[in-house]
């Protein structure tokens, strides 16, 4: 967030994307627990993270969205 403050005058947005449980092909014993604990009834996929990055880098986000950590976790951290 400090970078967002430091570079705001130059109209540079500084944001982060924090993915939650993302299915990447590795099957694990914790997958069912994660699915039950996540409010959205599915696991995340790499495209979910890519869409968040695409949004933050687009004109829709503009430089007025800065200093955020966008959680892409299906609501995992909402508890």
């Amino acid at each position: 967030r400090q970078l967002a403050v430091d570079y705001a005058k130059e109209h540079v947005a500084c944001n982060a994307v924090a993915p939650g449980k993302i299915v990447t092909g590795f099957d694990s014993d914790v997958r069912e627990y994660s699915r039950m604990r996540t409010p959205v009834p599915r696991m995340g996929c790499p495209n979910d993270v890519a869409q968040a990055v695409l949004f933050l880098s687009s004109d829709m986000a503009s430089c007025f969205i800065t200093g955020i950590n966008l959680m892409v976790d299906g609501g995992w951290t909402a508890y």
Side-chain angles (χ1 to χ4, degrees):
R1 292 189 341 203
Q2 184 60 49
L3 288 173
V5 173
D6 292 346
Y7 288 97
K9 290 180 180 150
E10 284 99 39
H11 304 281
V12 175
C14 297
N15 298 302
V17 174
K21 305 290 184 181
I22 304 297
V23 176
T24 61
F26 177 74
D27 202 8
S28 164
D29 293 338
V30 299
R31 186 176 287 192
E32 188 57 34
Y33 168 77
S34 297
R35 190 182 348 251
M36 290 183 330
R37 166 97 170 50
T38 304
V40 174
R42 67 173 180 84
M43 299 295 291
C45 65
N47 191 55
D48 295 319
V49 179
Q51 291 298 316
V53 171
L54 184 63
F55 167 71
L56 286 175
S57 62
S58 74
D59 289 338
M60 291 187 297
S62 76
C63 282
F64 205 67
I65 296 176
T66 192
I68 66 152
N69 183 20
L70 181 57
M71 305 302 291
V72 182
D73 65 358
W76 177 276
T77 55
Y79 285 112

